[in-house]
């Protein structure tokens, strides 16, 4: 399957879905606090998405049981919201929301902090956000996808961090995961060329320690760092325009 060049109608639909995904993260922000369970947050996310005409894409996706992924501390991604996971001072977490509106997908995630977190955690989050922003700056027609991973890898490395390579960004919009796979560490000028109308995510996962991820054997989803050190992630859905890039997961 080739990379889909989206039509005007598809772009409009994906933009609407992406805006709802971003609005959901704006909405949940005020509820993210010490003492609440990640299941409670997921319930609120489910309610918000459905009340605004959307469907949470993760719910039932290959058996994933919840309406969002909530990944704490050493969890890289795909954390399952749970009644037993209670947020505590010092925690850092990623909330990842994917919406379906009129059949179109929008996918975004961001980091949240509880109370006072360590300087190390603050720095990791800051650098990870910079990695996403630098990746977005590389989006331009005719340029190659590999440039995105090149700048992300360089920035993470300059701060002594590692880039997770077991999970990637992806084409998105008509389906949850489409071609291409967007690597977050890759050689400059490698990969396919970007063209106007392509829509994909950039979603770097950056680790303080080793880059490896290990999947929980019991739940089959939760991806943790192999050394139990912290991990952070930010994600946007972006459109290649005639002149550059438009970030779609904004309100
Ligand atoms: N939203 C995630 C991504 O950025 C995918 C989650 S799939 C799930 O691609 F099944 F874990 F929900
Ligand atoms: Co994604
Ligand atoms: Co996502």
């Amino acid at each position: 399957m080739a990379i889909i060049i989206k039509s005007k109608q598809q772009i409009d639909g994906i933009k609407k879905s992406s805006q709802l995904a971003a609005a959901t993260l704006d909405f949940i922000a005020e509820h993210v606090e010490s003492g609440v369970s990640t299941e409670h947050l997921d319930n609120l996310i489910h309610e918000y998405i459905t009340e605004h005409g959307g469907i949470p894409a993760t719910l039932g996706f290959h058996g994933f049981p919840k309406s969002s992924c909530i990944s704490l501390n050493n969890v890289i991604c795909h954390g399952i919201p749970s009644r037993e996971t209670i947020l505590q001072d010092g925690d850092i977490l990623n909330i990842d929301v994917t919406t379906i509106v009129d059949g179109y997908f929008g996918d975004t995630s961001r980091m949240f902090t509880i109370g006072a977190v360590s300087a190390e955690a603050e720095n990791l989050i800051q650098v990870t956000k910079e990695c996403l922003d630098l990746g977005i700056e590389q989006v331009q027609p005719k340029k190659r996808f590999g440039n995105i991973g090149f700048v992300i890898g360089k920035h993470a490395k300059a701060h002594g961090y590692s880039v997770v390579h077991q999970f990637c960004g992806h084409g998105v919009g008509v389906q949850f995961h489409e071609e291409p796979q967007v690597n977050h560490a890759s050689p400059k000028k490698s990969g396919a060329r970007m063209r106007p109308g392509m829509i994909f995510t950039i979603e770097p996962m950056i680790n303080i320690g080793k880059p490896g991820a290990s999947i929980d054997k019991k739940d089959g989803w939760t991806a943790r760092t192999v050394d139990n050190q912290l991990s952070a992630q930010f994600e946007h859905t972006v459109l290649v325009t005639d002149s550059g890039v438009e970030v779609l997961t904004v309100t």
Side-chain angles (χ1 to χ4, degrees), residues 140-162:
Q140 210 186 307
K142 297 195 174 73
K143 294 283 185 298
R144 291 187 189 272
F145 278 96
N147 296 2
I148 297 169
F150 178 73
V151 296
I152 291 172
K154 198 165 104 178
H155 192 63
K157 214 168 153 192
H159 288 270
Y161 298 143
S162 64

Side-chain angles (χ1 to χ4, degrees), residues 96 107 170 176-177 201 203 235:
D96 191 338
D107 189 5
H170 50 92
F176 198 157
H177 296 104
T201 72
E203 50 181 301
E235 174 176 29

